Amino acid sequence: MTVKSANAALPPHPQRERENLCIHQRRHLPADLGITESFGAAIHALNTSQLTDGVINRSKRMMLDTLGVGLLGTRTAVFNKALKYSQLFTSRERSSVWGKSDIILPPHYAAFVNGIAVHSMDFDDTWHPATHPSGAVLPALLALAETLPSQPSGLDLLLAFNVGIEVQGRLMRFSKEAYNIPERFHPPTVVGVMGSAAASAKLLGLSPEQCSHALAIAASSAGAPLANAATQTKPLHIGNAARRGLEAARLAQIGLKGNPAILDLDSGLGVYYKDYSPSAMADSAVRAYKWILEDQDVAFKRIPAHLGMHWVVDAALAAREKLQNAVGKFDLSQIRHVTLRVPPSKYVNCPLPATEHQARHSFQFNACTALLDNEVTVASFGDAHIGRSALKELLGKVSLETPEDNLPSFDKMYCEVEIATHQGPSYKARCDTFYGHWRKPLTLKHLVEKFSVNASSVLCTEGVEGVIDVIGNIESVAECSILGSYLRMTSNQERLDRMRIL
Amino acid sequence: MISTVKKAIRPVWAARAIHKSAVDVLKQPAPEDTVTASFGKFISEIKPQHLSPVVLHRSKRMVLDNIGVGLIGSTTDVFELALQHCQNMYAPGDTSSVYGRRGIRLSPILAAFVNGVATHSMDFDDTWHPATHPSGAVLPAVLALSDMMPANNKPSGLDFLLAFNVGIEIQGRLLRFSNEAHNIPKRFHPPSVVGTMGSAAACARLLSLDPTQSSHALAIAASLAGAPMANAATQSKPLHIGNASRLGLEAALLASRGLEASPLVLDAVAGVAGFSAFYEDYVPQPLESPSNDSHMFLLEEQDIGFKRFPAHLGMHWVADAAASVHKVLVGVGPGTISPAQVEDILLRVPKSKYINRPFPESEHEARHSFQFNACTALLDGEVTVQSFTPAAIGRPDLHALLSRVRLEHPDDNPANFNRMYGEVQLTLVGGDIVKGRCDTFYGHWRNPLSKDSLRKKFRSNAEVVLPSEKVERLIEVVEDLDQLRDCRNLLSQLQ
């Protein structure tokens, strides 16, 4: 240690860089509202009068589809494992499990298992930029609604739902990386948990500051790697997004705080993206609020498989039809080789899937199933179907190409299927926009049909029709608890099955 | 370190060529050849006899320190909030005990959560190199799970220690997969990344899962890992450890029920990120099977740092440097420096945004502020638990000193807990300069706390919530943990 006498003049105090100041000081400077603050303010302030007809219509379709897909999903193995696990927990607050007449769980775990059900078969909606927006939000809201002392109205629920969707859409526009098919983090785990936190905060009526903290707390629960897609764990990504967003809002409600600049910072939400350029939420005080859902619709799936599969299936069906029209009948033995022209995306390139999860993420499998059966349905992913030797033989004839003009983006990709025959001619078909894509939306009739088929696997007719009715008229529903009671109206068969177990 | 990570390894996964026809045999590694499988095998096959005396000794110190830190942590606001949350959201469980709260038990997952929050609530828990807080992510889960096991089949002390060490070892191995992990973090808070995996590994070991289930536990945990650095220095940071502990336990329980996930989660697969998602550079290495009687646990090569006061590890260097300056000016007896004497305070520290806070406004920010800890040590000669109370944070003298601080980031001072130093240079009114430097603070792995110092810290922490007989009994039980036939003697002393 040295003690020196020195008369040297000291350097002047350096100008404090703006970024070195802690957040509170920065706010005292003449500055705009922070980004995170603007989100907290908007979540708090957005109200039902700002819901436009377009947004109401689109979000009701999303709610209906999500419920149907979730009900069907309660019959899957992954759902049952999660349910058994969740039944370790009890609580005073009780929330229902969709499609189960007498199982209740703590709200977080109800959100968890219902969310898993929704994503269990990869049958839920997809948006652009890519994520599965509804599954992360609706299970959390319904579970939460059941615990509130005064039941929210249908319109309250609709508003909270749209807040959850809107926040996800805004966050995804913070980076270019989000616009392409993902490679690192599974998007629902990044933005889905934030949407769930926002929606839950809305339904709870939190203050603007609490809403911001809900987002901050949720950020520490975000991010799961893509490698678990195409496995049994993928559905938990949505289940966890729902539950942990709800948890974040509840923690914010009792005063937990996180970083009030969580969206502003690269070290905040920015950690999940290679490029990150956040911007403030639009002014939520305006009468005509511009919801993203108004400009950009979602896609609904006709097949319980990754969205990319829908292009290749439609192309395969069209190519098959061409072959059939030319030759008179379709016969597998005619096929010499099948070429698929698809966008580059490793996790949906699976030549020989061994499990249903892999099958749902395989261009090859879906194309071949379409060729073999002239359709791809829920049943196509059962073990028996996956294991068919005819299918395996056909899979052996498939090769993939990734043309340069085929971009890994759900807004820009296409799929082409070319069947080369032993006789000589080739039959080619291309799909640019599958039926169900946002450019070619499902008709209401087909959407309701999809819901009915799904829901009937678990609910009795009264339940099925009741849900359709409630969602259809949700703006006029006084208490949304009525939805819950329909979701518990299981069919006789389910009740019988349960009795047998007892 | 860097050369170790860059060592060329045989790639275990050849990238699948896009134009291959499916008829060709895929270059898919046999399941046993993957890094992920090697980890699962290790967790399942490691045995108590693989724990060397050094590892036993060091890990028992970690267990003791972590319990003490968790006990004092049970007096914090954030712990209270987390406990309230669990009690509101869930019916009273009666399985696993909560640190320092007589009569309060929760279901295992929730106990792991709140005890983990307690452990990290004051940033008082241990730190390793590469940087993480290894014990807090593992111990609460192992304790909670042990409470869950049937009364006639509780783990022995040695089983307990083995599970604990597996949790630490897995974290250490994972941290060595990237260069990024060797420096003070910028993106993901390390305990939220590797801590969750460590907890899953430890619980898989305690549950005696088979190699495949153990691998799946890790893979399930990966989907629960990762929280951004921005929440460090906020009230949410302790939840990173709480969540690491509880979610790792959850992953192991789900795996035990048959949930499956990616069998390649730890391997590097181009175009599909697994655990690699959390790092910019990633070179995984398989874990050798502990078949013969030798396995070198990382803890044997690289010891832990224990903190002497509840703040980010980096603070310990500047505090020690400032304390030596204080001693020069004030002499050996008690006394204080008057701000009026001080013209300028220069700190030479590594560059790290989240611990550079000129005017912290909360205890959480104060624990992550070079400036605050240096000035506190200049004023008081030391930094203690009491230095972070609202009264202490708000002292006018302290503020006066804080406004005279400036920072420099010398090129030779890297943001790395193995190589950094802290220098405090005080310029007095009148021109005299007093300088202090600390290369290795007392408690760092290069200069470990003595047994007495560690016990003193433990007593000072534990006695805040437990009667001294229990405190002494805990010291004894942990000291002899490897001889304990039934870990109930440990479990019953925590509240």
Side-chain angles (χ1 to χ4, degrees), chain A residues 215-468:
Chain A
L215 292 177
I217 298 162
S220 276
S221 296
L226 200 60
N228 274 333
T231 77
Q232 199 182 43
T233 288
K234 188 191 192 196
L236 271 71
H237 289 184
I238 287 278
N240 277 324
R243 102 160 124 154
R244 301 186 74 194
L246 170 56
E247 183 174 80
R250 299 295 299 245
L251 285 165
Q253 185 183 39
I254 56 177
L256 185 70
K257 297 185 191 323
N259 191 318
I262 193 73
L263 300 180
D264 303 64
L265 299 167
D266 279 351
S267 60
L269 198 71
V271 300
Y272 300 105
Y273 297 103
K274 294 213 162 96
D275 67 299
Y276 185 69
S277 204
S279 52
M281 196 72 152
D283 186 3
S284 48
V286 296
R287 206 136 64 93
Y289 182 80
K290 242 351 202 122
W291 301 84
I292 292 179
L293 187 60
E294 186 107 40
D295 284 337
Q296 172 68 61
D297 200 359
V298 296
F300 294 113
K301 291 178 174 174
R302 281 172 17 246
I303 304 161
H306 180 274
L307 201 76
M309 309 304 105
H310 289 66
W311 276 270
V312 86
V313 165
D314 275 12
L317 291 173
R320 188 188 195 279
E321 201 182 338
K322 283 188 181 175
L323 171 57
Q324 181 146 359
N325 289 342
V327 171
K329 73 172 181 69
F330 177 82
D331 189 342
L332 269 185
S333 59
Q334 302 163 311
I335 300 180
R336 183 172 55 81
H337 192 80
V338 177
T339 306
L340 307 181
R341 291 185 187 97
V342 296
S345 177
K346 193 86 187 296
Y347 82 110
V348 284
N349 169 0
C350 186
L352 274 167
T355 66
E356 67 172 279
H357 307 286
Q358 287 179 331
R360 303 186 198 280
H361 296 77
S362 164
F363 280 129
Q364 297 91 329
F365 177 88
N366 284 273
C368 288
T369 301
L371 291 175
L372 196 56
D373 304 333
N374 204 19
E375 61 174 3
V376 183
T377 67
V378 170
S380 308
F381 299 90
D383 283 336
H385 276 252
I386 294 176
R388 287 180 292 171
S389 49
L391 183 66
K392 288 192 173 156
E393 199 192 315
L394 186 57
L395 281 169
K397 298 179 183 173
V398 175
S399 68
L400 236 61
E401 281 173 16
T402 53
E404 256 181 61
D405 70 343
N406 203 344
L407 302 168
S409 150
F410 290 143
D411 205 38
K412 304 203 180 119
M413 63 175 276
Y414 65 86
C415 282
E416 206 171 79
V417 174
E418 183 164 359
I419 308 172
T421 59
H422 287 296
Q423 288 76 9
S426 285
Y427 301 91
K428 195 163 79 174
R430 171 169 167 146
C431 172
D432 285 293
T433 302
F434 65 86
Y435 177 45
H437 191 269
W438 43 83
R439 289 191 298 261
K440 204 196 277 187
L442 289 191
T443 61
L444 182 63
K445 178 165 170 288
H446 286 146
L447 188 79
V448 172
E449 221 170 76
K450 176 187 172 186
F451 171 81
S452 299
V453 168
N454 288 342
S456 303
S457 65
V458 172
L459 298 183
C460 63
T461 316
E462 191 189 344
V464 174
E465 289 176 359
V467 173
I468 294 174

Side-chain angles (χ1 to χ4, degrees), chain A residues 1-7 10-14 16 19-25 78 81-82 84-85 88-93 106-109 112 182-185 189 213 215-229 231-234 236-237 240 243-244 246-247 250-251 254-262 265-274 337 344-347 349-352 355 358 395-402, chain B residues 13 15-23 26 78 81-82 84-85 87-92 107 109-110 113 148 186-188 192 219-220 222-232 234-237 239-240 243 246-247 249-251 253-254 257-265 269-280 321 324-325 328 343-344 353 356-361 365 402-406 425 427 430-437:
Chain A
M1 197 145 21
T2 54
V3 181
K4 282 197 319 245
S5 282
N7 269 322
L10 286 166
H13 249 292
R16 298 213 187 279
E19 61 179 18
N20 277 345
L21 297 172
C22 49
I23 183 71
H24 301 287
Q25 282 167 303
V78 60
K81 285 179 187 172
K84 243 189 286 200
Y85 168 74
L88 290 172
F89 305 93
T90 54
S91 67
R92 278 180 300 265
E93 292 180 324
H108 293 180
Y109 282 94
F112 179 58
E183 284 188 1
R184 249 181 2 135
F185 290 106
T189 64
H213 284 299
L215 292 177
I217 298 162
S220 276
S221 296
L226 200 60
N228 274 333
T231 77
Q232 199 182 43
T233 288
K234 188 191 192 196
L236 271 71
H237 289 184
N240 277 324
R243 102 160 124 154
R244 301 186 74 194
L246 170 56
E247 183 174 80
R250 299 295 299 245
L251 285 165
I254 56 177
L256 185 70
K257 297 185 191 323
N259 191 318
I262 193 73
L265 299 167
D266 279 351
S267 60
L269 198 71
V271 300
Y272 300 105
Y273 297 103
K274 294 213 162 96
H337 192 80
S345 177
K346 193 86 187 296
Y347 82 110
N349 169 0
C350 186
L352 274 167
T355 66
Q358 287 179 331
L395 281 169
K397 298 179 183 173
V398 175
S399 68
L400 236 61
E401 281 173 16
T402 53
Chain B
W13 176 257
R16 208 187 281 149
I18 290 293
H19 293 277
K20 261 167 144 19
S21 163
V23 184
L26 282 167
V78 62
L81 196 153
Q84 206 193 105
H85 170 75
Q87 290 177 308
N88 286 347
M89 296 305 304
Y90 303 95
S107 68
I109 301 267
L110 299 178
F113 176 60
M148 185 172 131
K186 285 189 195 174
R187 268 193 333 145
F188 291 101
S192 68
I220 297 164
S223 273
L224 296 164
M229 280 307 294
N231 276 331
T234 76
Q235 198 187 34
S236 282
K237 189 192 191 196
L239 272 72
H240 290 184
N243 276 326
R246 95 156 128 163
L247 296 172
L249 170 53
E250 186 170 271
L253 288 174
L254 284 164
R257 289 186 185 278
L259 187 70
E260 294 172 347
S262 169
L264 290 170
V265 72
V269 179
V272 183
F275 189 66
S276 60
F278 301 107
Y279 297 102
E280 311 264 76
S324 61
V325 169
V328 160
E343 174 87 41
D344 177 77
K353 201 114 164 276
N356 170 358
R357 288 164 203 279
F359 293 102
E361 292 186 9
E365 289 185 4
L402 282 173
S403 60
R404 292 164 170 73
V405 176
R406 54 196 175 91
Q425 182 175 292
T427 304
D432 288 345
I433 293 180
V434 185
K435 211 154 78 165
R437 175 170 169 137

Side-chain angles (χ1 to χ4, degrees), chain B residues 13-334:
Chain B
W13 176 257
R16 208 187 281 149
I18 290 293
H19 293 277
K20 261 167 144 19
S21 163
V23 184
D24 294 356
V25 173
L26 282 167
K27 284 192 181 53
Q28 191 160 15
E32 316 84 60
D33 285 347
T34 63
V35 172
T36 309
S38 75
F39 271 66
K41 197 155 185 280
F42 173 87
I43 292 167
S44 192
E45 294 180 359
I46 194 81
K47 295 196 171 25
Q49 62 252 38
H50 295 119
L51 295 168
S52 70
V54 169
V55 164
L56 280 173
H57 170 72
R58 287 179 173 176
S59 57
K60 288 194 292 191
R61 282 162 58 93
M62 288 155 75
V63 168
L64 187 70
D65 184 69
N66 216 248
I67 290 175
V69 151
L71 287 169
I72 194 176
S74 72
T75 62
T76 58
D77 283 346
V78 62
F79 171 83
E80 192 60 55
L81 196 153
L83 180 61
Q84 206 193 105
H85 170 75
C86 291
Q87 290 177 308
N88 286 347
M89 296 305 304
Y90 303 95
D94 52 10
T95 312
S96 305
S97 40
V98 170
Y99 280 151
R101 297 298 177 103
R102 195 100 179 274
I104 297 187
R105 287 176 170 266
L106 295 172
S107 68
I109 301 267
L110 299 178
F113 176 60
V114 302
N115 288 339
V117 169
T119 303
H120 202 42
S121 59
M122 298 164 73
D123 227 309
F124 213 176
D125 45 326
D126 55 24
T127 310
W128 211 10
H129 178 69
T132 194
H133 303 292
S135 303
V138 175
L139 187 62
V142 175
L143 286 170
L145 189 54
S146 299
D147 266 327
M148 185 172 131
M149 295 181 124
N152 58 354
N153 197 18
K154 290 275 185 226
S156 67
L158 201 51
D159 291 331
F160 185 97
L161 267 175
L162 179 64
F164 178 78
N165 276 289
V166 165
I168 303 302
E169 178 75 354
I170 293 304
Q171 294 185 64
R173 296 281 165 179
L174 293 176
L175 286 165
R176 282 156 176 73
F177 285 179
S178 79
N179 287 327
E180 186 182 335
H182 284 78
N183 298 327
I184 294 178
K186 285 189 195 174
R187 268 193 333 145
F188 291 101
H189 189 212
S192 68
V193 178
V194 297
T196 316
M197 308 295 278
S199 170
C203 295
R205 173 65 247 152
L206 202 62
L207 287 168
S208 302
L209 299 189
D210 69 37
T212 309
Q213 289 172 316
S214 299
S215 292
H216 284 305
L218 291 177
I220 297 164
S223 273
L224 296 164
M229 280 307 294
N231 276 331
T234 76
Q235 198 187 34
S236 282
K237 189 192 191 196
L239 272 72
H240 290 184
I241 287 277
N243 276 326
S245 205
R246 95 156 128 163
L247 296 172
L249 170 53
E250 186 170 271
L253 288 174
L254 284 164
S256 78
R257 289 186 185 278
L259 187 70
E260 294 172 347
S262 169
L264 290 170
V265 72
L266 297 183
D267 295 76
V269 179
V272 183
F275 189 66
S276 60
F278 301 107
Y279 297 102
E280 311 264 76
D281 66 301
Y282 186 77
V283 182
Q285 311 239 27
L287 250 184
E288 275 154 33
S289 179
S291 42
N292 28 346
D293 279 318
S294 64
H295 172 81
M296 177 70 110
F297 278 84
L298 289 168
L299 190 58
E300 182 115 28
E301 301 169 352
Q302 170 68 62
D303 200 1
I304 289 282
F306 292 113
K307 291 173 175 178
R308 282 181 2 255
F309 57 85
H312 181 275
L313 202 76
M315 309 303 104
H316 286 65
W317 276 270
V318 294
D320 275 16
S324 61
V325 169
H326 168 97
K327 212 149 105 183
V328 160
L329 289 178
V330 163
V332 177

Side-chain angles (χ1 to χ4, degrees), chain A residues 18-51:
Chain A
R18 187 167 194 264
E19 61 179 18
N20 277 345
L21 297 172
C22 49
I23 183 71
H24 301 287
Q25 282 167 303
R26 245 189 289 150
R27 217 199 291 152
H28 296 317
L29 297 175
D32 37 1
L33 203 61
I35 294 169
T36 311
E37 272 184 278
S38 75
F39 271 71
I43 293 168
H44 172 80
L46 283 166
N47 61 69
T48 51
S49 65
Q50 290 163 305
L51 291 171

Side-chain angles (χ1 to χ4, degrees), chain A residues 185-223:
Chain A
F185 290 106
H186 189 210
T189 64
V190 180
V191 299
V193 67
M194 308 295 279
S196 168
S200 304
K202 181 74 212 164
L203 201 66
L204 286 168
L206 302 189
S207 73
E209 210 199 330
Q210 286 174 319
C211 291
S212 294
H213 284 299
L215 292 177
I217 298 162
S220 276
S221 296

Side-chain angles (χ1 to χ4, degrees), chain A residues 156-172:
Chain A
D156 291 333
L157 187 69
L158 195 62
L159 175 64
F161 179 78
N162 276 289
V163 166
I165 303 301
E166 177 75 357
V167 164
Q168 294 184 64
R170 295 271 163 187
L171 295 179
M172 285 192 292

